[in-house]
Amino acid sequence: MAATQYGLTMMRKFLPLLLVPLLAAATNQPNPFGIMETGRTYRTLGEAVAAVGDRSGTIVIAPGTYRQCAVQEAGVITYRAQKPGSVVFDSTTCEGKAALVLRGRAATVEAIIFQNMRVPDGNGAGIRLERGNLTVSASLFRTSEEGILTHDDPQSTIRIDHSIFGKLGRCDRDLDCAHSIYVGHYGHLIVTATRFEAGMGGHYLKSRAARVTITGNVFDDRAGHLTNYMIDLSNGASGLIANNIMVQGRDKDNYSAFITIAPEGREWDSNGLQIRDNQASFGGNYGRNSTFVANWTNDRPQIIGNRLTTGIKVTDRR
């Protein structure tokens, strides 16, 4: 599928997510958080999470804008908007971290919007994942310091699908940079059919996961501000990066590469990494050169079938 056609398809899919929050208001329901399995409802998200406890449960959230947050200490919880795109978590964090702080066995987030998360250490996120599996689908993360930030859990998997990450990241205040997504030492990171755009600093997708599957995404940096790489595999990785569209913008802190392999030290073997059938270009005539895959190791990933605009070298050793 051509880049323009693919981009239009993605935007049609995500348009309801972009429009609905403009109309959302604080809910007028006294108990907007319901547990599907029990039928009971709760005044706050934290109360609903506590009610699930160490069991499995689905918390269905009524439409509205919420200045609430919650910490999941245990169990397997699905956080689901009653109506896709109608639930907004705005500006409130728990533990100085995120709207959802997750350290249970697993969590799923469906069709929820997270925005305006800021904290003193510069890592305010929609989701802070500290352990367990995570699945995110049809969700929107915007205008925050970070979209998703994780700790380490080498036995677990993160899946992100059909979501948007926009106007995220920062590298100011003499603090370490924040990124649209920053994944620690996880077992497997899977990102599919997701859009990254208008970053405000840092990388769009930074990962220390041992294995990655990054397919069918759009990285649109044309409205980015002082951004860095599209995909940063900080310590290397095996897996697949395929069928992504990447457009590099003008306002870059570092435009020297689109994808990196182990710039912070090799921990994972990248010989089994495939980077294929992607498209990379500049968003305008910037009079610059760049490298599609910058490699800090002697590993030899398979880089084939990618369509690169003039001025973008396939790979180099750094």
Side-chain angles (χ1 to χ4, degrees), residues 45-209:
L45 179 60
E47 290 170 351
V49 169
V52 175
D54 196 30
R55 299 182 298 277
S56 296
T58 298
I59 299 173
V60 180
I61 306 170
T65 297
Y66 298 91
R67 288 173 176 84
Q68 298 188 28
C69 60
V71 179
Q72 178 186 338
E73 300 278 5
V76 178
I77 299 179
T78 294
Y79 303 83
R80 177 180 297 160
Q82 188 180 81
K83 179 180 178 182
S86 69
V87 172
V88 182
F89 284 97
D90 183 15
S91 70
T92 300
T93 63
C94 284
E95 300 182 344
K97 296 175 180 177
L100 292 179
V101 180
L102 306 174
R103 44 180 179 257
R105 296 198 303 279
T108 296
V109 176
E110 298 178 357
I112 294 175
I113 296 157
F114 300 88
Q115 64 185 28
N116 302 327
M117 305 297 172
R118 294 175 178 82
V119 298
D121 73 1
N123 286 307
I127 296 174
R128 175 76 72 92
L129 176 64
E130 299 188 349
R131 68 173 183 177
N133 296 316
L134 172 65
T135 298
V136 175
S137 64
S139 293
L140 171 61
F141 299 79
R142 65 183 180 190
T143 56
S144 299
E145 292 166 326
E146 208 130 22
I148 298 174
L149 172 62
T150 90
H151 196 12
D152 301 331
D153 190 345
Q155 305 305 313
S156 295
T157 296
I158 298 168
R159 293 177 174 84
I160 301 167
D161 181 60
H162 281 94
S163 294
I164 298 177
F165 293 78
K167 294 188 177 180
L168 301 163
R170 44 141 297 279
C171 283
D172 57 1
R173 290 177 278 164
D174 295 322
L175 300 169
D176 289 342
C177 291
H179 314 279
S180 297
I181 295 177
Y182 185 178
V183 171
H185 289 86
Y186 254 69
H188 193 180
L189 169 65
I190 303 167
V191 184
T192 52
T194 288
R195 182 176 179 87
F196 298 84
E197 62 185 13
M200 300 303 290
H203 309 308
Y204 284 95
L205 177 53
K206 180 180 177 72
S207 171
R208 301 184 191 276

Side-chain angles (χ1 to χ4, degrees), residues 193-236:
T194 288
R195 182 176 179 87
F196 298 84
E197 62 185 13
M200 300 303 290
H203 309 308
Y204 284 95
L205 177 53
K206 180 180 177 72
S207 171
R208 301 184 191 276
R211 181 173 179 80
V212 298
T213 302
I214 303 170
T215 58
N217 306 290
V218 173
F219 296 81
D220 184 352
D221 185 47
R222 287 174 296 178
H225 175 67
L226 295 176
T227 53
N228 209 304
Y229 306 129
M230 306 290 188
I231 299 173
D232 175 51
L233 304 180
S234 304
N235 305 122

